Amino acid sequence: MTKFNSVLFLALLASIFANVYQYLNGHEQVSVPKSEQSQIESRRTDGLAQQQSKDTQQLNQETQPNFPQTPDVHEPAVETDSEVAEKLNTQASTDTQRGVPNTTRFKPDRRAAYLAQTRRWLAAQEYAKLDAFFPLYLRQYPQDVEFLLLEAEYIAHTHLLSDAIIHYHSMLSLPLNNAQQDQVQNTIARLTSRTITQLKQANSWDILAQFVEPLLQVSPTSRELILALATAYARQQQAGLMENTLASIRYDDPQAMKIRGIIQQYDDEVNAQSDRATKTTNDNLRKNVSTGVTSIGLQKYGDQYVVESSLSGNQVYFLIDTGASTTAISRQKFKVLFKSVDTKFVGQFNVQTANGTVRSPMYQFASLEIAKAKVKNINVMVLPLDELGHSDGLLGMNFLREFDFRIDQQNALLHLQ
């Protein structure tokens, strides 16, 4: 009976567990509505689908080759290069203004893009951008000769021309190849000779002296510089400075003797002009009796006289200033003319004004014409002339000295012969 009772007891327990299981399972089915069961099933399905999609994407990424994202070298990338350089330049300016040490790094594989952008900035005369760009780039790559040459070109347009030429001299100490060495030396010779010639043609003797003096400190044995500076002094009747400059050249040197003769020649010309002026009466000038004499009406403002002129075909009003060695126009007027007139940039020079010495760019215009009087290839300074009022610039002696001129103040006339 004991064995039988044990079996019976186990069967009873199994029956109880079965009933409890059925009860619990049935209660769970009743308590959850079918709509909710459907939603639960849908969420399970969606979750499995999303996980499967993620797994597939990850598998594809792992199995595909990882190519670098760079622009196709066969397609133009001008805008991309410009944007990259622009961002670097903007960051540089921001850091500089905030006083934060700049940590911009230029990538070697982007060098061609930086080079192209720098050349575009130079062509567009966007010097403010280059002013921020060059120090940063050359701090990282101080021996990059191509960029050093571009920086020298930028300096030639934004600094005193004599300083720019001295900078080119300093570049000869760099590890240049033969072609680059020739390029620098040719640039020095071209800028020096061209500027001396232009300033002589414009009779800008004071500016010529300022240009040559520092260059002679760098090349003290240059015959071209010695003769040019001596000529500038002679034209300004500074005999002592002329002789000091010519001291390193033989006294009987033909060119040196010719320069010494300038002072005596100048005195003879002054005397001759005085004699001609004495023989010509004011009435004859007003009636334009003398052949070749042109009389131009002037606009009078107080003690100042303004004359209408044509500068490379554009109307410009000049205030007559016999104390100005070189004709000048205001920056505002130059900005207007620059858009439509072809000019040649000569260089930056120091100029004495009523407010002191200022650094000013000089440009060569095709012509300056007043009535029938015309001077071709005339040099004009661009000055901050904000208080001229009724005029656009100053008519200087580089135009007036080409003629026998006289201002008839009583009748407000300019007589040119």
Side-chain angles (χ1 to χ4, degrees):
M1 291 297 293
T2 302
K3 189 174 183 180
F4 175 77
N5 289 337
S6 298
V7 172
L8 184 61
F9 180 75
L10 291 173
L12 180 60
L13 286 176
S15 176
I16 293 172
F17 280 124
N19 290 332
V20 171
Y21 175 78
Q22 289 179 0
Y23 172 80
L24 292 175
N25 188 47
H27 178 74
E28 187 175 63
Q29 290 178 355
V30 172
S31 62
V32 180
K34 290 183 179 181
S35 60
E36 294 185 12
Q37 291 181 8
S38 176
Q39 292 176 3
I40 292 172
E41 187 65 27
S42 175
R43 286 196 295 270
R44 289 177 180 174
T45 303
D46 292 342
L48 289 173
Q50 292 176 2
Q51 184 62 40
Q52 184 177 5
S53 176
K54 291 181 179 178
D55 293 342
T56 302
Q57 292 176 2
Q58 182 177 0
L59 180 61
N60 290 338
Q61 292 176 357
E62 294 174 351
T63 56
Q64 290 179 356
N66 184 21
F67 293 108
Q69 299 298 317
T70 56
D72 188 346
V73 296
H74 299 291
E75 296 180 359
V78 173
E79 292 298 323
T80 301
D81 296 346
S82 177
E83 291 171 2
V84 170
E86 193 76 46
K87 289 179 181 178
L88 291 171
N89 178 264
T90 302
Q91 182 64 39
S93 300
T94 302
D95 290 347
T96 301
Q97 292 172 1
R98 294 178 180 176
V100 178
N102 192 279
T103 57
T104 300
R105 302 295 295 178
F106 295 90
K107 299 178 181 179
D109 60 345
R110 299 291 292 168
R111 181 181 179 278
Y114 304 143
L115 195 62
Q117 180 61 68
T118 303
R119 287 171 176 157
R120 285 193 290 272
W121 278 339
L122 269 174
Q125 299 186 6
E126 298 187 54
Y127 300 132
K129 295 179 180 179
L130 292 168
D131 188 54
F133 176 81
F134 277 124
L136 295 176
Y137 184 88
L138 293 175
R139 187 183 303 138
Q140 185 174 343
Y141 302 106
Q143 298 297 318
D144 194 323
V145 175
E146 282 192 270
F147 278 92
L148 289 171
L149 289 171
L150 290 174
E151 182 196 33
E153 184 179 345
Y154 149 76
I155 290 174
H157 283 81
T158 57
H159 294 61
L160 289 176
L161 187 54
S162 54
D163 290 345
I165 295 175
I166 292 173
H167 178 79
Y168 273 109
H169 276 284
S170 69
M171 293 184 66
L172 294 174
S173 62
L174 296 174
L176 308 176
N177 59 37
N178 292 336
Q180 292 166 341
Q181 186 104 2
D182 290 342
Q183 179 181 349
V184 172
Q185 290 177 337
N186 291 338
T187 301
I188 293 173
R190 175 177 56 81
L191 290 176
T192 302
S193 299
R194 182 199 68 184
T195 305
I196 289 174
T197 300
Q198 290 179 331
L199 293 178
K200 282 183 176 180
Q201 292 175 346
N203 294 317
S204 299
W205 305 115
D206 54 340
I207 296 178
L208 176 60
Q210 293 175 21
F211 170 69
V212 176
E213 285 169 348
L215 297 183
L216 203 55
Q217 300 298 318
V218 178
S219 304
T221 61
S222 171
R223 181 179 174 86
E224 179 185 27
L225 295 177
I226 292 172
L227 296 176
L229 183 57
T231 301
Y233 288 149
R235 291 293 183 182
Q236 297 177 84
Q237 298 298 289
Q238 296 176 329
L241 293 175
M242 177 197 70
E243 289 295 349
N244 290 338
T245 304
L246 292 173
S248 60
I249 296 179
R250 285 173 44 192
Y251 186 85
D252 60 349
D253 182 275
Q255 288 183 284
M257 295 301 293
K258 184 177 180 180
I259 292 173
R260 290 187 177 95
I262 291 175
I263 293 180
Q264 184 60 46
Q265 179 184 359
Y266 179 82
D267 291 338
D268 294 342
E269 289 178 354
V270 170
N271 293 332
Q273 289 177 0
S274 177
D275 292 339
R276 287 195 300 269
T278 303
K279 295 176 182 178
T280 306
T281 64
N282 292 339
D283 290 340
N284 286 338
L285 282 173
R286 281 195 294 269
K287 295 177 182 179
N288 203 15
V289 171
S290 299
T291 60
V293 175
T294 301
S295 298
I296 302 104
L298 303 176
Q299 300 174 23
K300 185 176 181 180
Y301 300 96
D303 294 332
Q304 298 178 331
Y305 296 90
V306 174
V307 61
E308 181 181 353
S309 69
S310 175
L311 183 61
S312 292
N314 292 265
Q315 186 182 58
V316 178
Y317 290 92
F318 281 113
L319 174 67
I320 298 177
D321 185 358
T322 57
S325 62
T326 305
T327 298
I329 60 173
S330 67
R331 290 175 180 172
Q332 295 86 342
K333 187 63 176 181
F334 178 75
K335 289 180 180 179
V336 175
L337 297 178
F338 187 74
K339 299 176 182 178
S340 58
V341 177
D342 289 334
T343 59
K344 293 181 181 179
F345 178 74
V346 179
Q348 297 268 356
F349 302 93
N350 281 333
V351 181
Q352 294 292 334
T353 68
N355 297 323
T357 303
V358 298
R359 189 173 69 190
S360 169
M362 176 185 286
Y363 289 84
Q364 186 181 87
F365 285 78
S367 65
L368 174 57
E369 189 171 2
I370 299 177
K372 297 179 180 180
K374 185 176 183 180
V375 174
K376 296 182 179 180
N377 299 322
I378 188 167
N379 290 342
V380 178
M381 307 298 297
V382 181
L383 294 174
L385 303 173
D386 301 326
E387 301 177 357
L388 290 179
H390 302 285
S391 63
D392 303 309
L394 304 174
L395 183 66
M397 291 300 295
N398 63 328
F399 176 89
L400 293 172
R401 69 163 51 94
E402 297 294 325
F403 311 92
D404 288 334
F405 72 93
R406 189 179 71 86
I407 299 176
D408 182 352
Q409 299 184 29
Q410 182 177 357
N411 297 286
L413 293 173
L414 171 65
H415 304 293
L416 297 176
Q417 182 177 13

